[in-house]
Amino acid sequence: MKINLTFLFLFSFCCYIADAQTAMTNVASRKCVSLNGKWQVIIDPTGAGDWRQVWQEKKPERKTDFIEYSFEGGPELSVPGDFNTQLPELKLYEGTVWYKKNFNVSHESSKRLFIYFGAVNYLADVYLNGNLLGKHEGGFTPFQFEISNSVKQGTNTLIVRVNNQRKKDGIPGLGYDWFNYGGITREVNLVETGSTFISDYFIQLGKNSYSSALGWIKLSGKSPSQNITLKIPELNINYKIRSDGEGLAEVKFDADFKLWSPENPKLYKIIIQCETDTITDEIGFRSIGTKGTKVLLNGKPVFLKGINIHEENPLRAARAYSESDAILLLKWAKELGCNIVRLAHYPHNEHMIKTAEKMGIMVWDEIPVYQRIEFSAPGVAEKMDLMMQEMVTRDKNRCSVVIWSLSNETDSSPDRDKALTDLTDKCRKLDSTRLITSVINDEEYNNNVMNVWDTLYRHFDLITLNEYLGWYVPWQGKAGDIKWNFICHDKPVIITEFGGEALYGNNSGPKDEAQSWNEEYQENIYKDQVAMFGTMKELSGVFPWLLTDYRSSGRMHPVYQKGWNRKGLISDKGEKKKAWYILFDYYNSIKNNY
Ligand code: GCU
């Protein structure tokens, strides 16, 4: 049996810089054929499929031939969905799974055709009719391939090599505190457009403005320079512009917008029309900014009553992907009194963002530059850039998104500082209308004094930190007596994580012992934190860790955890823990006038 060495060499050494295309904006409103549903699969724990070249789907030619793989007669998996919760043999699987889907096409040459993936965790090699279209790295952002010239009339075969093995130079890296769900976790669409189409647009209020919409529209195709109309029927806006030779048209117009806010999540139907394409969207207009230590929404100070959420439906113990998953999680957040959710630690599916927008919940969007990242390794900076661009490209027209977060709890080092400073500048160039930050947890705690000195905060719009006083870090005095010192005094302070674990219904064991995992211990942590919040004048928001218990293989206590992080305020069965009521009362005590 001869292994194709050249292929192995190429395979193991090529760094997986994505060469998929950045996905077009707002696929939901385009002409799509869904490729969701059952896909045939080959589970490939040894990677034999790479040297057997599974995508060729070889068939025996002579009587003596035999082929040691086939999609026919094999298992099937549902798309969208993680693969770990669909087959018992994939429960804790980290490796390669080959997915196959046939689709029929009668393609007009005047049209263009794209394959769009909402997300694939973690590596995706995409083949069409046995030919490699390209690759993508990153488990939580969309990508696409144009197939106008490679598709054939009639039946076509799409094969995707999906691999969710953790990578040292990956984003995230080898270690992270959530379950590594693999697979084609979000929707797949065949998207048809005109020869020139509206590939991207950005329509939002200008920085610190309540009536001036600013932005741009980008056409892609053979006739980039076209007349374009942007209509907002409800406001009698009928704005006409012409795109330049690059297909770009600047947008600037005033209107008497009803501003979007948690109290009034107003969205406007927008129609963008060029000579060869039309797209519709629902966009809200709101202004987000800061003044000193205050966060301003539509010019008014707002206290961010937040909660952290992982993209998991605890009731299904599986990766969340649907609108109903989003509604379940966001209803829980709303019931708690939240006006903002931090979607940890990666861009969640679009249903979460759009449902939050409709429900009047602000969104914190983050890329998984999480804890131990190989900042100096080749290709890592490019991967961070790409994930940031893919996140911003997808969500920039969502007014619910008010904060871009570019990392969480990374270890302090010159390489880190350089990488995150550069990334912050790039993000600000892409979108100067939102707040940009990174979460740090290297504050020093001595004698009940907390010193937040990290100089990196100077580059961010907010001081955002995680602290686990009362859980990982014992109090050094009364919570209400703690003193905080910050490196900057003119930025809002946001506590982006705090909390502790408890197993719902467990009221046994000494109430003052963490090891008992009882609800009272967690409840006391919340009581102390709320007492501390009351003393912090710079504080403009808090985000408990987190809404519900969630799966994380590193949480191995056989009685209390069983592979679950139990810091949820709600159990994996949807039950409210005692601490839930502490936060509920605290949030109800804070009045925001939007
Ligand atoms: C960290 C981290 C989270 C993690 C949490 C915990 O701060 O940001 O991702 O899950 O702590 O330890 O539970």
Side-chain angles (χ1 to χ4, degrees), residues 361-506:
I361 300 177
M362 293 179 273
V363 169
W364 166 304
D365 223 343
E366 182 166 304
I367 52 174
V369 177
Y370 179 91
Q371 297 187 347
R372 270 170 294 293
I373 297 290
E374 301 282 307
F375 287 106
S376 57
V380 166
E382 291 79 2
K383 292 176 197 177
M384 290 163 55
D385 278 6
L386 182 76
M387 283 181 194
M388 181 274 287
Q389 282 169 36
E390 289 175 338
M391 171 176 74
V392 173
T393 299
R394 189 195 74 177
D395 297 340
K396 62 186 177 302
N397 291 306
R398 307 276 70 81
C399 65
S400 56
V401 177
V402 291
I403 298 171
W404 301 122
S405 172
L406 303 178
S407 71
N408 177 72
E409 295 194 350
T410 52
D411 302 335
S412 171
S413 74
D415 288 334
R416 177 209 63 178
D417 291 7
K418 169 120 184 30
L420 289 180
T421 309
D422 293 352
L423 191 64
T424 304
D425 295 345
K426 287 184 185 132
C427 186
R428 216 178 284 292
K429 282 206 187 73
L430 275 185
D431 176 16
S432 62
T433 68
R434 289 179 173 84
L435 304 177
I436 300 173
T437 194
S438 267
V439 174
I440 300 175
N441 66 330
D442 56 10
E443 56 271 6
E444 293 151 18
Y445 182 45
N446 299 306
N447 308 323
N448 212 20
V449 176
M450 192 68 93
N451 296 319
V452 182
W453 295 140
D454 199 307
T455 54
L456 209 49
Y457 282 125
R458 292 193 178 120
H459 295 280
F460 308 148
D461 298 315
L462 307 165
I463 291 185
T464 42
L465 63 107
N466 297 346
E467 51 85 6
Y468 280 89
L469 291 165
W471 185 249
Y472 295 127
V473 182
W475 294 97
Q476 295 170 357
K478 286 179 78 227
D481 298 342
I482 190 169
K483 294 278 170 292
W484 286 81
N485 301 319
F486 296 100
I487 185 148
C488 321
H489 300 288
D490 59 348
K491 291 179 199 252
V493 171
I494 313 284
I495 292 192
T496 34
E497 289 181 35
F498 68 92
E501 307 224 352
L503 180 63
Y504 175 78
N506 172 23

